[in-house]
Amino acid sequence: VDNIGWRITEADSIKFDKEKLQAKNISGIQVRDLQKRGALSLNGTTVFLSEVSEMRKGDIFAYVLDTKYCQNAVDLAKGAKLLLCESTYLEQHKSLALYYAHMTAKEAATIAKKAGVQKLILTHFSARYLDLNLFAEEAKLIFPNVETADDLKRFDFPKGSF
């Protein structure tokens, strides 16, 4: 059965260094002009955008659900800041995971580790489990930055790293 994973990549953006702007006496509308033109002439000196800023790579969110462990899931999650990944079974029920083409918490954590993600959130749990903490405990043996999703639980997605 074909499955769909989602990868959402934020556009790259310019991040100004406030101290460098202050050192060059650039403020207000001058910052906008510098960003728009790439250079700004001040008192006979040209200041280039690259001197006071850097390119900030856009963050990546990846979503993998209703699938068994596969290389495509690793590829989709590559470099993601946040991976929301199914974890239907615990490793003790791996035979069920294989039979129903779902993943264990350990497999989801393996995807996160191989893909180099920053944070893993586990979801899509079998109703047989009453304690979701068991999923995080299993996954943390492979990938430490993991949480479990639950009804009405929210997760921040701040700029920068976790």
Side-chain angles (χ1 to χ4, degrees):
V1 175
D2 289 335
N3 290 289
I4 295 176
W6 296 98
R7 179 183 175 88
I8 301 168
T9 304
E10 176 185 41
D12 295 345
S13 60
I14 294 172
K15 180 175 169 66
F16 284 98
D17 184 317
K18 291 178 185 178
E19 291 176 4
K20 288 180 180 178
L21 287 171
Q22 288 175 349
K24 302 260 186 200
N25 293 317
I26 300 172
S27 63
I29 198 164
Q30 293 172 323
V31 175
R32 185 192 65 184
D33 290 345
L34 177 59
Q35 184 174 2
K36 187 176 180 181
R37 296 185 184 123
L40 184 68
S41 292
L42 292 172
N43 302 324
T45 303
T46 301
V47 177
F48 294 95
L49 181 62
S50 61
E51 295 176 60
V52 294
S53 68
E54 62 183 40
M55 187 59 71
R56 182 190 164 280
K57 294 294 288 176
D59 289 323
I60 299 166
F61 169 78
Y63 177 68
V64 175
L65 192 67
D66 281 337
T67 188
K68 60 185 177 179
Y69 178 90
C70 62
Q71 184 60 44
N72 284 341
V74 175
D75 294 344
L76 183 131
K78 195 78 168 170
K81 179 177 186 175
L82 184 66
L83 168 61
L84 179 62
C85 189
E86 84 145 63
S87 169
T88 308
Y89 297 99
L90 292 172
E91 196 65 20
Q92 67 188 22
H93 297 116
K94 186 172 177 108
S95 62
L96 291 173
L98 289 170
Y99 181 78
Y100 290 110
H102 284 290
M103 280 190 270
T104 65
K106 182 179 178 182
E107 291 173 318
T110 301
I111 288 172
K113 184 175 181 176
K114 285 185 173 184
V117 306
Q118 290 181 30
K119 185 171 192 159
L120 169 64
I121 298 176
L122 302 173
T123 191
H124 195 65
F125 311 106
S126 170
R128 74 177 52 242
Y129 304 104
L130 300 178
D131 185 0
L132 299 183
N133 291 322
L134 297 173
F135 288 87
E137 289 171 13
E138 181 173 290
K140 283 181 181 180
L141 296 173
I142 306 280
F143 185 82
N145 194 7
V146 62
E147 293 190 51
T148 53
D150 202 357
D151 292 343
L152 304 178
K153 190 172 182 181
R154 296 173 56 126
F155 299 93
D156 290 331
F157 194 88
K159 290 219 182 266
S161 61
F162 286 109

